[in-house]
Structures are given as structure tokens and as C-alpha cells.
Amino acid sequence: MSPRSALVNEELRRRSKERLLHAAVELVDERGYEATTLGDIADRAGSARGLVSYYFPGKRQLVQSAVHRLMHRTLEEALEREPRTDDGGERMARAIDAILGLARDRPVLMRQHMAGLLQAEGFLPCPEQRRLAELLSDTVARHGSRDVESDYPMLRALLMGAVYAAVMPGAPMSVPMLRAELFKRYRLDWEMGVPPDPGGTGGTKERDRTDMARFFATDPETQSK
């Protein structure tokens, strides 16, 4: 039997890493960070436990990468959904709704993510986070910013603050209220993006609780573009 080619090995490594990222967000979403072990993640992914440390220095780095993947793929999907648009205001509205939607639909996961950012090791840069930063920076630029280097960190801080307020144990703020403040700051019309359903409980007209698996595809033909 001939040895596997470098391309085949690379594809197998990609799929293995994808499964670990997917397992991490699923388990933390279900159980919380502290109740999830690296062994649990490896078992859910169907991977050897040694592979976790091969790809990631530790659990915190793995979970941050996984959540940043979920965030940037969710944001990317929202920005590029039909009807596609180059309107800066609409794209800003979609970005805000995408991130607030994660706080609404995945409160445990996003609460644990925010708590992780406040730990001693704090913010841990990774390729997934860099892609999220690129998308938000582009959103700020299209919205008309003349100083993206200053305005992107402000948008990031405002979104992080809104997420924290939405998932804070014991005293969460409503997503529509937080959305209203962000829309006011960026001078956006309420009907942009995906407005909250006035007859619901803080959901949206197109509320989507689709399985997160589409953002962690292991099959090249089904991987999210």
C-alpha cells in the first residue's frame, strides 16, 4: 500500500481540527466551560486525546478559537445572505444583529466566552479571531469610517459590552433594548437587519436555531463558504 500523499494528510488534519472545534462549542454550550474537559472534547470529536494538544496549547485556546469560529462564520453568513447588499448601514445592522443573536440563542456559550476573556491569560489571538476582526473592520469601513483603526476597536468594545449585558447572570438586559442603543449610535433604521419580532419574547423574524455543525463542516463539499 502506497503512503498517503501530503494533500491527503493535510485534509485529514483539517477534518480532525474541525471536529475538535465543533465539539468544543457544543459541549461548552451544553455544560459550561468548567464542566467540559479536554478528554470530553476529544471523545465527542472522535479523536485521540493527544491530538488536542497537538493543535491547541490548552483548553482556553481551543474554546476561544471555537467560539471565534462560530462568531465569524455567523457574521459572514449574515453579511452575505440574500439579498446581498453593499449598503454600509444595512451591513452594520446585519453585523449587530448577528452578534446579538448569538448572545440571545447561545447564552451559556457566550457567557463562558466572555468570562474566559477576563481570565489571567485574557484575549488569545488566533486565525479565527483575525478573520472576525477582518469582517468587523470591513463593516466599519463600509459604514463610512474615516479612521477604521480607531472605529473598529470601538465597535468591538460596544458589541462585547452588549453581549456581556445580554448574558449577565441575574440581571440580563433584553436584546431589543441593546439593539436599540447600538442602532442609535450608528444611526441605523430599526427595520434594517433582522428586527425583533414585536409579538415574540426577544427573538427575531427569522430566528434561526440551526445546528452549529454547518460552521464546522468536515466534508469539503458542505463546508460553509
Side-chain angles (χ1 to χ4, degrees), residues 164-186:
Y164 178 81
V167 302
M168 183 168 57
M173 292 183 66
S174 75
V175 167
M177 184 181 298
L178 294 164
R179 182 184 194 265
E181 286 300 310
L182 289 169
F183 270 45
K184 180 179 179 181
R185 188 189 194 291
Y186 288 102

Side-chain angles (χ1 to χ4, degrees), residues 22-41 44 59-60 62-64 67 106-116 119 169 212:
H22 184 202
V25 292
E26 277 194 334
L27 286 168
V28 174
D29 192 42
E30 293 169 11
R31 307 176 185 177
Y33 180 82
E34 295 299 334
T36 299
T37 69
L38 287 176
D40 294 333
I41 294 170
R44 174 70 66 91
K59 185 171 73 166
R60 184 67 66 188
L62 168 54
V63 171
Q64 278 200 29
V67 176
R106 307 285 177 183
V108 174
L109 181 65
M110 297 308 292
R111 185 181 303 125
Q112 298 298 301
H113 177 62
M114 297 301 296
Q119 297 298 310
M212 293 183 286

